[in-house]
Amino acid sequence: MLRRRLSSLLLRSPCSSAVASSIQQQHHLILPTHAEKPPALNLLRLFTSLAGTDGDRPFIAFVLGGPGSGKGTQCSRIASDFGFSHVSAGDLLRNEISAGTDQGEWILEIIREGRIVPSEITVELVRKAIESSTAKRVLIDGFPRCEENRIAFEKITGTEPDLVLFFDCPEDEMVKRLLSRNQGRVDDNIETIKKRLKVFESLNLPVVEYYSSRGKAHKINATGTEDEIFEAVRKLFSSLRL
């Protein structure tokens, strides 16, 4: 159900008949379109202008997808192959927990309950990670998870992403991956996983819809082997001459 809703949502982005035909043949990529210029040229312009439109800021790519969709693994490979700094919102929160601070204890309780950490906390951690990086290209993995996250990020940083990747994976596959990865995480149990999937479905869809309406959302089929999924990712980035 979730995949059908997301596919329908992404495919509602305005596009020319030629691009629509291409989408039917290549489900791994939903290209943004504009009436004045070919979509590929718009994306190429974004990637070759690494500072975006905000002076010295890095090129920012959000990476979205359900828990267990494999986005973290793919981000590591994108960072290695295409020169991005990989910022994981989840890792930033877990690092705060490991630090043993009062805020970390609070974050731990929220995660155990399958809820989303308040936007201001996550955005501040992400902002500091971006500012501490010297890279010209930054992947922000697992963020924003809801509209409140998105709005807070744009308000606090004064910018928005140049590109958004969405890893589309069936719910049963995500559950199987989460239960089998055995990383000792507090949120890798069946009850919390189900809560996380419900939260993802109810809150992440508006974020995908927003970026789709702005021509920035790109869907990657997140089923298959790690190499098969990355091949679709590689084709997208290689087509942009990154």
Side-chain angles (χ1 to χ4, degrees):
M1 177 65 72
L2 175 59
R3 297 188 75 207
R4 290 198 297 269
R5 290 175 61 191
L6 287 171
S7 296
S8 174
L9 181 154
L10 285 166
L11 290 172
R12 285 204 300 268
S13 297
C15 60
S16 68
S17 59
V19 175
S21 175
S22 175
I23 289 173
Q24 293 175 354
Q25 297 175 9
Q26 298 181 348
H27 296 293
H28 65 277
L29 175 61
I30 306 297
L31 290 171
T33 60
H34 300 275
E36 298 84 359
K37 300 176 182 178
L41 293 181
N42 284 316
L43 285 175
L44 178 58
R45 175 176 54 79
L46 284 175
F47 272 82
T48 54
S49 178
L50 296 179
T53 58
D54 298 326
D56 294 330
R57 81 158 176 84
F59 183 95
I60 297 174
F62 284 165
V63 182
L64 306 176
S69 62
K71 59 186 181 298
T73 298
Q74 296 300 321
C75 278
S76 296
R77 298 186 65 166
I78 294 170
S80 175
D81 283 26
F82 295 99
F84 278 81
S85 173
H86 178 195
V87 175
S88 167
D91 285 348
L92 292 175
L93 292 170
R94 284 185 284 275
N95 290 342
E96 190 73 11
I97 293 171
S98 298
T101 63
D102 290 341
Q103 177 171 275
E105 290 294 324
W106 184 39
I107 292 171
L108 176 60
E109 185 63 27
I110 292 172
I111 291 177
R112 279 176 172 164
E113 295 176 359
R115 296 185 288 120
I116 290 180
V117 175
S119 297
E120 292 76 10
I121 292 175
T122 308
V123 170
E124 186 62 19
L125 292 174
V126 169
R127 182 189 64 79
K128 289 180 179 178
I130 293 174
E131 290 184 353
S132 65
S133 173
T134 59
K136 293 294 186 179
R137 308 161 184 164
V138 178
L139 290 173
I140 302 180
D141 170 9
F143 183 88
R145 294 187 60 199
C146 62
E147 275 288 271
E148 184 185 358
N149 279 176
R150 179 189 67 76
I151 294 169
F153 178 86
E154 294 179 5
K155 181 178 180 180
I156 293 172
T157 66
T159 190
E160 60 180 77
D162 300 288
L163 178 71
V164 178
L165 291 182
F166 174 72
F167 284 89
D168 182 29
C169 188
E171 290 186 22
D172 58 348
E173 178 65 18
M174 288 189 284
V175 170
K176 183 175 69 174
R177 291 175 182 177
L178 290 171
L179 290 175
S180 64
R181 68 185 181 184
N182 192 28
Q183 293 181 347
R185 285 174 44 173
V186 297
D187 51 349
D188 281 352
N189 60 78
I190 189 63
E191 291 185 0
T192 302
I193 287 170
K194 289 181 177 179
K195 288 181 181 179
R196 292 171 67 198
L197 288 171
K198 287 181 179 178
V199 168
F200 168 74
E201 181 175 359
S202 64
L203 298 183
N204 211 235
L205 286 177
V207 178
V208 177
E209 182 174 29
Y210 176 82
Y211 288 123
S212 179
S213 71
R214 294 181 65 79
K216 295 185 176 185
H218 303 265
K219 184 177 71 172
I220 301 293
N221 182 357
T223 58
T225 67
E226 178 184 321
D227 288 340
E228 289 170 343
I229 297 168
F230 185 69
E231 179 61 19
V233 175
R234 187 194 62 76
K235 286 180 179 179
L236 169 60
F237 281 86
S238 295
S239 70
L240 302 172
R241 303 178 187 177
L242 191 63

